Amino acid sequence: MARFAVNVNHEELSTESPPDRPLLDVLREDFGLIGTKYGCGEGQCRACTVLIDDQPRASCLTPISNVDGKSVTTIEGLASDDQLTKVQQAFIDADAAQCGYCTAGMIVEATALLKRNPEPSRSEILDAMNPHLCRCCGYRNILASVELAAASSEASDA
Amino acid sequence: MPERFREDLFEPDRKELSESPAYRFDLDRRQWIAIAGAGLLVTAAGRVVFSPGVAGAEIPPSTRLHLGEDGSITVLTGKVEVGQGSRTEILQAAAEELRVAPEALRVMLADTAVTPDDGSTAGSRTTPSTVPVVRRTCAAAREMLVRAAAETWNLNASQLRVESGAVVHADKRLAYADLARSKRLTSADDDSAPKGVPLTEIDDWTILGRALLKTKAREIVTGAHRYPSDIVRPNMLYGAVLRPPSYGAQLESVDLTHGEELGAVAIRDGGFVGCAAKTSYEARNAVKAIGKSAKWRIAPHPSSEGLGAYLKGRAQISGGGRRGPRRREHGDVDSVLAAAKTLKASYEIPFVQHAPMEPRAAVAEWDERNLTVWTGTQRPFGVREQLMEAFRLTAEQARVIVPDTGGGFGGKHTGEVAIEAARLAKAAGKPVSLCWTREEEFAWAYFRPAAAFEVRAGLSGEKIVAWDFTAYNPGTAGIETPYAVPNVRTQYFPCDSPLREGSYRGIGATGNNFAREVFMDELAGAAGLDPLEFRLANHNDERLTNVLRAAADRFGWSPGQSAGQNRGTGIAAGFEKGSYIAICAQVRDEGERIEVERLVSAFECGAIINPRNLQAQVEGCVIQGLGAAMSEEIRFEGGQLLNGSFSQYPVPRFRDIPPMETVLLDRPDIESAGAGETPIIAVAPALANAVFAATGQRMRSLPLRLHAA
């Protein structure tokens, strides 16, 4: 057991934990951030995607010891003061969620994508999103949501 | 009046709800009660309640509609939301009949202590069964509100109208909340509520028929929605369960102290061994430590190689009952076949896994003898019965609450995770959260049945004159041909399955329609007809014609067409659970693999209730079918799954989705049927037929694979 300090959604949090415990478990069980989902535990579905120092990572494969002193952003940390981000709003407007269990990971991934590449091509979106599974198979609406978010960012930047 | 939904047109699939939980506790060696069947078609109408209380106050059990004095309106159903859109659909139905904005309503789903028992969320029944019940109740309530207002104003009810949550006459207005506070309203049940109140005519729909967005979308995109695996209770522990090393293995001995030494609560009850601890990490480690000490008696178990022959050799050919074989025959199949030009073929489909994104999960909490379980299941009342049986509780002592759940697809009918969580919570004396791992979900959840088929048919010119269809184990949904054939024999034999089986999207119709629609392609070839023309020539169902023509038109289907080098096109159709699907597919032979280049679907399920949700359901269902057609197949050997993970069991991903078009045919003259299942049944045969057109190789098993050169 050791103490780990993590900046989660702009808040300094710490926990006493075995070093190899998955970040996913710490977020959900110690910090009460249940928005990040378990899907497979092997990085194959990416439902558990969070940003670690702004990079999208599978929290199920990330030991807590790897994020000591780093910053983590989860789905709960995207909207500020009830103001949804463009990606979140686009996921509502283009009806991206069926059961919605994969949605948090999808939104976090798309957020990172649009930050590093505000005008991604269809192919670049597919490359970024392809590791994410949606078993409801709502892929077309999810893709439309990411494109809508990209378009609305562009519009607001102009 | 729209054409009524024909209940008599289908029976529940014999594989529907066929699995009980996987094991039994020592504390209860009685037979598990047979829950199947009885609950499937139950549709309690439920009571209308005008409560003196406010929103959130105690609502009596089985309430269908609650109007609070604060103006709150709550509509209740025992159906669950697993992503198929039931919550939004119920909201639309109630808002339409109550003449209120959808935002003014709250929908409460699946809490056995409160909501009516509307049976399973299965068989595409929410739309044809529950929506009309909700509409009738809300229409009756509207009439009661009008009568109360008429009494207040001393007017005739016929002089009043209802709009925006109020009863109105000239410049006078009484909001529902005002009427709920008045003493002129009393709660009503089926007997006392006004009868025969007309439902809103489809031409007058303002909320039904609209492309409403999902009502919980905001909670979902902010991560605030609590799925079953997200429920947290005070002092809650996390659980983990010891699984056998192989199917059929029996536990002989185990040393629990290895888990207790790690600070976990460890328990053995019959074949059940599990741990509860402060974190799921500790619980998993404790189970791992205990597992090292476990001694198992291993049982022989077959391999998925040669599964078709295995099943045929274990067919139950006699006996009756809802689980037994089924045979239908009309005309004289054998003598017509003997005289006709005949064709025969065999088909096979493997086991597949639903693999919903949220694995089975439950939180169980005991309060002395009372048990509450939050869990993801499609059968809240069925799971309550399983809990009652396992722990010898009365209905009042067991409560099941189903938060909107992360996917089902027919895979979450059983309550094993609820029972496991409850057993751990009982041992720990604290609430326990138990979420199955993906590995557990692959191996220990039940599967879509594997099956084998033998089909024969006789042709006379372009007509099918005899049809002899034998299905081993798929289930009975979609087993009867929708084509017009004078002599038909249909036989179904359940088989002794090596794996647990149960519902799935379309269940039996997936395999039955695969075999039938590929065979139709073979027959078309033998008759020398284009596959579309052959289908049109062999039925007289206008709705089937419509979807076939709609898909073909959008696709640009033409007889004798050439799709080009190494390319092929295929078509397939189907009717199931009151709705119709036709799909045209184009594929390219890539040598090692098959590239799906295009899918065009046409779907019709009567009057469209929510075009946006319908589009999502049809597309999602077709893509899930694409996975089952192209890549999904459970393989096993020596009692173990060989591919029980997402890295080994490929399901469709973003890059697998071909260009797709979906044509939704609206039939306002026909009552709405469900849509979450039927689209899947035409995907695999359309693709198999396209592969034949591209390669000349006849595809008679799934997933589709080119034969070695």
Side-chain angles (χ1 to χ4, degrees):
Chain A
M1 296 287 272
R3 181 150 289 277
F4 298 99
V6 195
N7 181 302
V8 183
N9 301 333
H10 307 295
E11 196 181 337
E12 297 297 335
L13 299 175
S14 73
T15 189
E16 191 81 23
S17 175
D20 62 337
R21 193 163 157 237
L23 170 61
L24 174 66
D25 287 10
V26 172
L27 290 171
R28 293 176 54 85
E29 298 173 14
D30 297 7
F31 300 157
L33 295 167
I34 50 84
T36 306
K37 305 303 183 196
Y38 168 85
C40 70
E42 56 165 356
Q44 287 290 320
C45 79
R46 301 276 158 168
C48 66
T49 300
V50 297
L51 301 179
I52 299 174
D53 288 345
D54 292 331
Q55 298 301 310
R57 294 284 181 263
S59 62
C60 74
L61 293 181
T62 306
I64 182 65
S65 56
N66 278 22
V67 294
D68 192 29
K70 295 187 178 171
S71 79
V72 171
T73 306
T74 71
I75 185 73
E76 291 95 339
L78 295 180
S80 52
D81 300 331
D82 277 356
Q83 180 66 46
L84 298 184
T85 66
K86 291 193 172 63
V87 177
Q88 286 172 316
Q89 190 60 50
F91 269 63
I92 293 179
D93 294 341
D95 205 22
Q98 287 190 35
C99 83
Y101 194 82
C102 70
T103 303
M106 296 274 186
I107 287 177
V108 170
E109 187 75 60
T111 301
L113 167 67
L114 295 184
K115 190 166 181 189
R116 67 175 184 268
N117 180 2
E119 293 174 51
S121 65
R122 167 70 62 97
S123 180
E124 286 167 333
I125 296 175
L126 289 173
D127 283 343
M129 302 305 289
N130 201 56
H132 289 253
L133 285 182
C134 169
R135 193 58 176 147
C136 300
C137 300
Y139 291 112
R140 284 159 55 86
N141 283 6
I142 297 168
L143 186 58
S145 302
V146 180
E147 290 182 336
L148 177 63
S152 61
S153 303
E154 217 175 302
S156 68
D157 291 346
Chain B
M1 279 295 286
E3 186 180 309
R4 292 304 299 265
F5 183 81
R6 293 279 305 280
E7 297 279 354
D8 58 313
L9 278 181
F10 59 91
E11 62 181 57
D13 193 299
R14 291 182 182 217
K15 290 283 179 184
E16 180 85 79
L17 320 180
S18 63
E19 277 297 336
S20 58
Y23 53 80
R24 297 160 192 179
F25 296 132
D26 269 359
L27 62 83
D28 183 3
R29 290 200 177 281
R30 288 181 297 163
Q31 280 290 355
W32 290 76
I33 45 172
I35 293 151
L40 197 64
L41 297 172
V42 172
T43 312
R47 311 191 302 171
V48 185
V49 170
F50 296 98
S51 167
V54 294
E58 286 282 296
I59 298 179
S62 299
T63 299
R64 174 70 66 202
L65 176 67
H66 174 272
L67 299 183
E69 290 183 5
D70 57 351
S72 65
I73 307 174
T74 309
V75 57
L76 302 96
T77 152
K79 292 294 184 190
V80 305
E81 171 66 61
V82 286
Q84 85 282 33
S86 60
R87 181 178 288 281
T88 308
E89 180 180 61
I90 296 294
L91 178 77
Q92 288 180 268
E96 182 70 62
E97 298 302 342
L98 285 168
R99 313 274 188 267
V100 296
E103 303 77 48
L105 265 168
R106 191 171 73 110
V107 174
M108 188 172 175
L109 302 177
D111 178 341
T112 60
V114 184
T115 59
D117 181 358
D118 292 308
S120 323
T121 304
S124 291
R125 306 294 304 168
T126 304
T127 299
S129 299
T130 311
V131 164
V133 169
V134 167
R135 290 182 64 193
R136 281 198 295 275
T137 305
C138 292
R142 186 182 74 218
E143 177 65 18
M144 291 165 74
L145 288 156
V146 168
R147 288 180 191 175
E151 205 180 307
T152 306
W153 291 329
N154 203 14
L155 289 166
N156 192 316
S158 64
Q159 298 169 274
L160 312 184
R161 62 201 163 81
V162 172
E163 59 178 40
S164 308
V167 184
V168 178
H169 174 71
D171 55 351
K172 288 206 286 281
R173 192 171 185 282
L174 270 172
Y176 291 174
D178 302 328
L179 289 161
R181 273 193 297 273
S182 80
K183 299 297 168 217
R184 297 187 193 278
L185 283 168
T186 49
S187 297
D189 58 20
D190 287 348
D191 291 331
S192 57
K195 306 274 182 312
V197 181
L199 302 184
T200 309
E201 293 286 344
I202 193 164
D203 290 342
D204 299 326
W205 281 3
T206 58
I207 300 165
L208 283 168
R210 249 171 62 190
L212 232 64
L213 283 166
K214 211 172 181 59
T215 60
K216 288 224 170 188
R218 191 183 172 93
E219 288 93 325
I220 287 171
V221 303
T222 54
H225 172 63
R226 288 186 180 251
Y227 294 85
S229 49
D230 301 327
I231 299 296
V232 177
R233 301 293 300 167
N235 302 313
M236 186 177 86
L237 301 179
Y238 294 86
V241 174
L242 179 66
R243 302 293 169 191
S246 56
Y247 292 121
Q250 297 290 318
L251 185 64
E252 290 186 324
S253 68
V254 67
D255 185 354
L256 298 181
T257 55
H258 299 296
E260 288 158 352
E261 282 161 6
L262 295 173
V265 175
I267 178 200
R268 175 180 181 185
D269 190 341
F272 174 80
V273 176
C275 292
K278 287 215 168 74
T279 65
S280 52
Y281 176 92
E282 288 171 60
R284 288 194 299 268
N285 281 347
V287 161
K288 240 178 258 170
I290 287 174
K292 286 182 186 147
S293 76
K295 300 269 186 299
W296 302 88
R297 191 168 61 250
I298 304 299
H301 195 266
S303 155
S304 49
E305 290 293 317
L307 193 53
Y310 179 92
L311 291 172
K312 285 179 187 170
R314 284 158 185 78
Q316 180 195 337
I317 52 169
S318 61
R322 225 186 75 74
R323 297 278 170 236
R326 174 187 181 280
R327 180 191 169 104
R328 299 271 165 91
E329 186 161 3
H330 63 82
D332 187 351
V333 175
D334 289 326
S335 52
V336 175
L337 277 177
K341 173 181 177 184
T342 62
L343 222 64
K344 66 176 184 176
S346 307
Y347 302 88
E348 281 183 31
I349 59 166
F351 290 104
V352 299
Q353 192 50 285
H354 314 79
M357 289 310 295
E358 183 183 37
R360 280 162 171 68
V363 172
E365 179 173 287
W366 289 89
D367 176 11
E368 305 202 344
R369 280 293 283 167
N370 296 314
L371 171 65
T372 302
V373 180
W374 292 259
T375 189
T377 178
Q378 298 173 242
R379 298 179 61 232
F381 288 84
V383 168
R384 181 180 66 168
E385 295 216 22
Q386 292 177 348
L387 289 165
M388 287 159 57
E389 190 65 16
F391 299 101
R392 302 189 178 194
L393 305 173
T394 64
E396 290 69 36
Q397 289 171 320
R399 177 180 187 182
V400 172
I401 301 171
V402 183
D404 293 9
T405 294
F409 319 119
K412 287 181 178 168
H413 287 331
T414 47
E416 54 276 87
V417 72
I419 296 169
E420 290 164 356
R423 190 67 193 88
L424 289 171
K426 199 177 173 72
K430 289 178 180 170
V432 169
S433 167
L434 176 65
C435 305
W436 279 21
T437 63
R438 179 57 58 190
E439 200 181 357
E440 289 176 299
E441 184 67 32
F442 264 107
W444 301 101
Y446 58 82
F447 300 84
R448 192 279 310 269
F453 307 84
E454 301 286 353
V455 199
R456 287 194 303 164
L459 284 172
S460 172
E462 60 183 40
K463 297 281 187 192
I464 308 168
V465 290
W467 180 261
D468 186 8
F469 189 91
T470 304
Y472 296 90
N473 206 49
T476 50
I479 197 168
E480 298 296 340
T481 178
Y483 297 100
V485 186
N487 305 285
V488 175
R489 176 162 58 225
T490 311
Q491 296 184 97
Y492 163 73
F493 301 113
C495 304
D496 183 13
S497 169
L499 298 180
R500 298 178 75 210
E501 323 169 300
S503 294
Y504 176 75
R505 272 183 150 164
I507 334 179
T510 54
N512 289 324
N513 209 57
F514 169 69
R516 178 168 52 242
E517 284 293 294
V518 176
F519 196 57
M520 286 297 287
D521 211 62
E522 304 197 31
L523 289 171
L529 248 67
D530 172 77
L532 171 63
E533 295 306 320
F534 181 70
R535 283 174 174 79
L536 294 174
N538 276 285
H539 74 264
N540 41 32
D541 185 334
E542 174 220 0
R543 295 173 71 185
L544 190 58
T545 297
N546 290 346
V547 289
L548 276 165
R549 288 211 184 281
D553 287 351
R554 178 65 70 90
F555 186 80
W557 185 276
S558 58
Q561 66 197 313
S562 166
Q565 192 74 32
N566 298 329
R567 286 188 162 87
T569 57
I571 190 166
F575 161 74
E576 177 60 16
K577 297 183 171 71
S579 63
Y580 290 80
I581 180 76
I583 296 181
C584 296
Q586 179 174 311
V587 303
R588 191 174 71 242
D589 174 8
E590 289 282 276
E592 298 274 293
R593 51 182 284 278
I594 302 155
E595 173 81 13
V596 180
E597 293 193 314
R598 195 174 168 217
L599 283 175
V600 174
S601 312
F603 181 72
E604 189 258 291
C605 60
I608 296 176
I609 286 182
N610 183 330
R612 187 192 291 263
N613 188 55
L614 182 60
Q615 174 98 12
Q617 280 302 297
V618 175
E619 278 186 5
C621 202
V622 167
I623 296 172
Q624 200 163 70
L626 180 69
M630 305 304 293
S631 60
E632 293 181 36
E633 173 188 30
I634 289 291
R635 293 182 292 113
F636 53 94
E637 192 180 307
Q640 308 209 346
L641 287 195
L642 300 175
N643 59 343
S645 69
F646 279 137
S647 53
Q648 298 162 297
Y649 181 92
V651 298
R653 291 180 180 272
F654 279 94
R655 283 224 175 265
D656 299 319
I657 314 308
M660 285 176 67
E661 290 156 80
T662 305
V663 184
L664 301 178
L665 300 177
D666 194 9
R667 285 294 298 265
D669 57 323
I670 298 172
E671 253 184 57
S672 313
E677 303 189 70
T678 302
I680 205 170
I681 70 174
V683 186
L687 287 163
N689 296 339
V691 171
F692 174 73
T695 66
Q697 294 184 22
R698 191 47 85 180
M699 299 283 111
R700 296 195 182 94
S701 64
L702 294 176
L704 302 175
R705 277 193 203 99
L706 296 175
H707 312 310

